[in-house]
Every structure is written in C-alpha cells, then in structure tokens.
C-alpha cells in the first residue's frame, strides 16, 4: 500500500478502531459499540469524527458474532475492513491482529476505541499534526479522578516515557492525573515491530497496547502527548457513563442548533438526534422529543410535549402541544397540528389543519382541508393498510371515521359523527348517521 491519498492536513494515515471488547459492564446482549448516543451507535460517532480527515484505510477490530457491528459500519463506510480478534487478549493484541491489513503501511496509524464516541474531528486533526514530529503521539487528558485510566509518565523535556495501567501502578504513580485517552497515533513503520515485542507480564495478564511506549522510548523514538478536554475523551464502560455521554452529546446538539438560529425556550428539555435538521427561526417550546430523520423548515413553531420522528415540517407550520408525528409525515406550509393528533405516513397540504384528537395515517390531505376533532382514518383492516385521500379544502366533521381505502373529494363536507365507507364526490355533503328523534316531554320531572 502506498501513502499517496493525502487528507487536507497533509498527513497520510490509516485508522484502527478497537471494538472487540466484551463490554461486560454494560450487562447487555448488544455489543458495547452498538449502544446509542443521540440515536446513533457509539462506533458510528467515532467514524463520523474520523471521516472528514479522509483516512487511507479504516480497519475495525471486532470479536466473533459481531455481525451487527460489521453491518452498521459497512452502511456508513463501505470501504472499511474488518479483522476478527478471536480471543480478547488485550488492546495490544487487538492492534496486532490488524497486521494482515496494515503490516506494510508506512503512514501514521491512528488507533481509537469504539467506546469513545465524543471525540471531535478538530482534536484528531491536532493529534495527526503533532504526529509529524514524533513517532508516537498519545492523546491525554487531566482528570480530577483518574481512577481506572492508564497514567502518562512524562519527563521534564516532554518525552512520554511510559504508560502505567491503574492495576500495575504504584501509589505514587496513581497520584498522576494526566491520563491516557486510548487514542494514539503511531508511525506505521514502527508499529508492528513494537507490538511484536509486547508481553503479557502484568497484573491483567493482557497484551497492553500502552506498553509500546516504554519500548519506543527505550529504542530512542520520540513519544509525545497532546492534551484534550475530558468531555471528548471519556470512555463508555457502563450504562451510567452512557447516560453522561448522552448528556454531553445533547448539549452539543442543542448549542449547535441555537448557534444556527433556533430558539429553544428550555433547551435542557429538548432531545435531539444527531441527524435532526432544524432551520433558523424555528421556535421549540419545552419538552419536545425528536426521533430519527426530522427536517424542520424556517418559522415553524413546535409546542410543548410533542414527539416527532421521520417527519418533514415545512415553513410556518405550528405543531402541538401534545402532537405526535410519525415516520412519513410531511406537514405543508402554515399547516397546523394540534393536541393529541397523531400522523403517520401522511402528507398534509399547505394550510391544512388537524387541531384536536385525531389519527391520520397513510393519507394524502389536500391544501386547506380541515380535519375536525376526533377524526380517525381507519387505515388498517386487520390484515392490510389502506390509503385515505382528502381533497383540497374538504371539511371533515368532528368524530368521523374514514374507512380506508376511501377518497373524499375537494370541497366536500362530512357531517359530524359519520362513518364513511364510500368515496365522496367533490363539493358534496356526506352524512352517515341515524336520524335524531326528539320525543317531546318524555322526560319525567323527579
Ligand atoms: C484502555 C487503556 C488505558 C486508557 C483507557 C481509556 C490499555 C491497556 N489501556 O483501558 O490506558 O486509559 O483505555 O479509555 O490499552 N479491546 C479489544 N480487544 C481486546 C481488549 C480491548 O478490541 O482484547 C477494545 C475494547 O473494545 C475497547 C478498547 O479496546 O474499545 C479499550 O479496551 P478497554 O478494555 O475498555 O480498556 P480500558 O481498561 O478502558
Ligand atoms: Mg474502556
């Protein structure tokens, strides 16, 4: 392999993502890196941070039976290679298992952990830049409580001499608060010869990747540290750490949206997905939840307690309070969706309204149509789903059931309480209910 396709910072590199660990502390049937942050897997966030830097090759180390990881990564990066580490003998052993893919590579090898999803592209860029003047650069962080992390032993001249793992550290070494994030850039030229020298002679009985530092230092290679903020570098090993990382990620997404012109009255109560797209001058009230794949155009107002996923909301629309938009909802310009209204796979025309207590599914609703309170599209017959079409300017009276497949013509009016099972022509009034009988004086006074 040659190192010709340079990225924009001019440092050719390949990356290795370690993801074979069992993730025992998550107590989950799911591989650890498949747990989600802001709706997307931990490993997908790592890949998203690397991609803008254009690695020449990406190699993911997984364990057997991690097909879900393979599929998830392949969907994001079709070029990624996978290496199976059959036994989890340590991080050094994991990197060594990539030899068949990277043995001849002479650029930098950027090693990351799949369980460190908060890392930012700018920080990786800094690490790669620094790697131009040292054979090994480790991304470090200073922690008030360094417990559990490898400690970085740096001399007065800035040379990183050794990384000591928590369980092998002396009490004096444990008091060092400069820690290993697990993200390391190593010259491909030296990586595998250093890895070949690793032993598992330590308290964990593992081949530590971190032991290559002392070996490199002894061989006279330059080993440096680049420091970054711990908010980017915390590893996820437990559900509590997952929840903390979610909070960091949510604040990043909220702050980005607000910086781009979105008003959030109580940002802490708005939950976004990493792919939520919200245009400027959208107002989001407290307690709004976004699911995957939502696009919101300018001047939309989303009122409290709304849950929105897979929806496109066009400019000027008002949503909620208490609205539920499900996948395939397209809300036209200046349309209104009110309280306790659920939409699924429905296109609502410009200026149309469904303001109270309705279910509208698998439907096309024309411009300026009005869907009265309590309207239900009966889209499911117990076996199949059917479509409802409501024409431009149609008026659906309250508490109507539209039994699909059915079509309501443009300008048609449905009388309140009707159960409509047949198509209604344009500009026609349809009534389907029994006649009211008034029995005068029939009610006896007590
Ligand atoms: C590792 C570092 C530690 C650092 C910390 C940062 C070593 C020996 N220790 O410790 O210095 O402070 O990360 O979070 O490197 N993995 C494999 N195969 C294995 C073992 C692990 O692929 O055989 C993967 C895991 O899936 C994980 C990553 O390597 O993504 C790190 O492993 P983990 O067991 O979490 O290491 P830490 O104890 O956190
Ligand atoms: Mg870890």
């Amino acid at each position: 392999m040659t190192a010709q396709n340079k990225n924009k910072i001019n440092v050719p590199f390949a990356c290795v993502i370690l993801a074979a660990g069992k993730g025992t502390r998550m107590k989950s049937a799911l591989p650890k890196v498949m747990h989600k942050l802001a709706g997307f897997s931990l490993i997908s966030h790592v890949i998203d941070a690397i991609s803008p830097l254009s690695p020449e090759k990406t190699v993911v180390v997984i364990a057997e039976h991690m097909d879900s990881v393979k599929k998830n990564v392949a969907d994001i990066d079709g070029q990624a290679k996978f290496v199976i580490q059959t036994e989890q003998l340590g991080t050094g052993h994991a990197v060594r298992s990539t030899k068949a893919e990277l043995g001849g590579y002479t650029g930098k090898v950027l090693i990351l952990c799949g369980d460190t999803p908060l890392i930012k592209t700018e920080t990786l860029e800094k690490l790669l830049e620094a790697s131009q003047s040292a054979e090994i650069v480790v991304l470090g962080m200073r922690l008030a409580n360094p417990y559990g992390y490898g400690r970085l032993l740096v001399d007065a001249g800035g040379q990183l001499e050794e990384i000591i793992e928590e369980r092998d550290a002396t009490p004096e070494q444990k008091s060092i608060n400069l820690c290993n994030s697990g993200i390391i850039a190593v010259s491909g030229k030296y990586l595998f010869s250093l890895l070949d020298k690793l032993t598992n002679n330590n308290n964990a009985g593992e081949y530590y990747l971190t032991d290559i530092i002392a070996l490199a230092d002894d061989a006279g290679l330059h080993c440096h540290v680049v420091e970054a903020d711990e908010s980017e570098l915390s590893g996820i090993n437990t559900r509590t750490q997952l929840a903390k990382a979610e909070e960091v990620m949510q604040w990043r997404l909220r702050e980005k949206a607000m910086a781009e012109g979105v008003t959030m009255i109580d940002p802490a109560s708005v939950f976004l997905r990493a792919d939520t797209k919200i245009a400027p001058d959208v107002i989001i009230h407290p307690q709004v939840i976004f699911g995957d794949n939502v696009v919101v155009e300018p001047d939309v107002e989303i009122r409290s307690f709304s849950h929105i996923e897979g929806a496109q909301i066009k400019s000027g629309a008002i949503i909620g309070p208490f609205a539920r938009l499900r996948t395939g909802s397209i809300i036209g310009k200046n349309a209104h969706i009110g309280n306790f209204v659920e939409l699924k796979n429905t296109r609502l025309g410009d200026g149309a309204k469904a303001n109270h207590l309705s279910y509208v599914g698998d439907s096309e609703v024309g411009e300026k149509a009005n869907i009265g309170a309590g309207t239900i599209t009966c889209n499911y017959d117990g076996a199949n789903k059917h479509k409802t079409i409501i024409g431009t300017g149609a008026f659906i009276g309250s508490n109507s059931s539209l039994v699909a497949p059915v079509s309501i013509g443009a300008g048609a009016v449905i009388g309140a309480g009707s159960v409509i099972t047949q198509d209604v022509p344009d500009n026609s009034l349809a009534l389907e209910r029994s006649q009211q009988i008034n029995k005068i004086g029939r009610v006896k006074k007590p």
Side-chain angles (χ1 to χ4, degrees):
M1 191 189 324
T2 57
Q4 281 166 359
N5 308 321
K6 291 184 181 176
N7 51 68
K8 63 178 180 178
I9 52 166
N10 242 12
V11 183
F13 76 103
C15 70
V16 172
I17 305 175
L18 302 183
K22 295 187 196 88
T24 324
R25 285 169 283 173
M26 294 298 280
K27 300 203 168 46
S28 173
L30 210 61
K32 178 163 72 172
V33 296
M34 290 305 289
H35 284 266
K36 288 180 175 177
L37 272 194
F40 291 81
S41 69
L42 303 185
I43 196 164
S44 73
H45 288 286
V46 175
I47 294 171
D48 286 349
I50 302 163
S51 303
L53 302 172
S54 316
E56 295 190 299
K57 194 163 186 177
T58 297
V59 184
V60 183
V61 181
I62 54 175
E64 283 171 313
H65 313 299
M66 283 195 180
D67 293 342
S68 59
V69 180
K70 218 168 160 176
K71 186 179 177 311
N72 183 230
V73 172
D75 285 346
I76 310 166
D77 177 357
Q79 308 295 311
K81 305 281 179 205
F82 299 91
V83 164
I84 295 181
Q85 186 194 18
T86 42
E87 270 185 291
Q88 279 68 67
L89 301 179
T91 48
H93 180 263
V95 178
R96 200 161 59 195
S97 67
T98 68
K99 197 167 181 175
E101 291 291 344
L102 293 171
Y105 187 71
T106 54
K108 299 291 174 183
V109 179
L110 178 63
I111 302 164
L112 305 101
C113 299
D115 66 353
T116 315
L118 297 168
I119 183 70
K120 290 183 181 168
T121 304
E122 307 91 91
T123 305
L124 294 176
E125 199 167 3
K126 272 188 211 141
L127 183 73
L128 285 171
E129 268 168 354
S131 77
Q132 287 176 297
S133 48
E135 284 81 16
I136 301 185
V137 184
V138 172
L139 200 57
M141 55 184 167
R142 288 192 190 269
L143 298 178
N145 175 14
Y147 178 79
Y149 287 93
R151 309 299 205 284
L152 305 184
L153 275 54
V154 182
D155 76 8
Q159 168 78 358
L160 173 63
E161 294 177 319
E162 196 175 351
I163 301 181
I164 294 283
E165 291 303 310
E166 171 81 30
R167 56 200 301 182
D168 304 301
T170 63
E172 197 192 334
Q173 288 166 334
K174 282 183 186 168
S175 69
I176 296 171
N177 70 350
L178 183 58
C179 298
N180 174 26
S181 68
I183 301 177
I184 303 183
V186 187
S187 288
K189 226 164 121 183
Y190 300 100
L191 178 62
F192 290 96
S193 59
L194 290 168
L195 290 171
D196 285 342
K197 290 188 198 136
L198 288 180
T199 66
N200 61 356
N201 186 17
N202 50 51
N203 286 333
E206 289 186 1
Y207 294 90
Y208 293 158
L209 171 64
T210 43
D211 281 351
I212 65 167
I213 304 298
L215 293 167
D217 184 58
D218 286 347
L221 302 179
H222 295 96
C223 305
H224 293 169
V225 177
V226 165
E227 286 187 42
D229 194 82
E230 69 172 287
S231 64
E232 285 184 50
L233 302 177
S234 13
I236 293 173
N237 300 307
T238 64
R239 305 267 182 170
T240 303
Q241 288 169 335
L242 181 68
K244 285 185 179 149
E246 180 74 42
E247 197 183 349
V248 172
M249 187 65 87
Q250 286 298 330
W251 274 109
R252 278 190 197 170
L253 295 169
R254 292 167 189 148
E255 278 164 12
K256 181 170 177 283
M258 290 188 282
E260 288 170 358
V262 175
T263 292
M264 291 188 187
I265 294 167
D266 177 20
S269 71
V270 174
F271 287 83
L272 301 160
R273 291 292 163 116
D275 68 349
T276 308
K277 292 190 181 63
I278 309 178
D281 289 323
V282 167
I283 298 175
I284 303 178
H285 292 249
Q287 308 286 353
V288 172
I289 313 289
F290 290 90
D292 290 348
N293 195 20
V294 174
V295 179
V296 186
E297 292 186 0
D299 303 312
V300 165
E301 187 171 340
I302 303 179
R303 296 178 178 163
S304 295
F305 308 109
S306 295
H307 189 286
I308 299 168
E309 62 191 322
Q312 186 189 350
I313 305 172
K314 298 200 177 170
S315 55
I318 298 176
I319 309 297
F322 296 101
R324 177 158 187 222
L325 302 183
R326 291 169 55 201
T327 300
S329 300
I330 301 176
I331 312 301
K333 287 183 188 163
N334 305 313
H336 291 187
I337 302 289
N339 40 268
F340 306 108
V341 173
E342 174 182 348
L343 254 72
K344 188 221 50 172
N345 190 27
T346 285
R347 179 185 290 269
L348 198 72
D350 294 352
K353 291 178 183 168
N355 271 333
H356 327 270
L357 301 158
S358 289
Y359 170 65
V360 188
D362 301 311
S363 303
E364 297 270 347
V365 179
E367 285 178 26
K368 297 209 164 112
N370 187 86
I371 298 190
T375 297
I376 305 292
T377 55
C378 310
N379 60 330
Y380 185 49
D381 60 12
N384 295 302
K385 300 275 170 72
H386 302 282
K387 200 163 177 176
T388 300
I389 296 177
I390 298 172
T392 302
F395 183 97
I396 313 297
S398 296
N399 216 26
S400 296
S401 300
L402 308 178
V403 182
V406 73
S407 177
I408 313 298
V413 172
I414 307 297
S418 297
V419 177
I420 298 296
T421 53
Q422 293 166 38
D423 290 353
V424 179
D426 292 354
N427 304 313
S428 307
L429 170 66
L431 288 169
E432 194 284 336
R433 62 192 187 213
S434 51
Q435 190 132 23
Q436 179 172 334
I437 304 165
N438 287 343
K439 304 227 171 171
I440 308 297
R442 266 292 274 281
V443 182
K444 286 189 185 130
K445 293 212 174 111

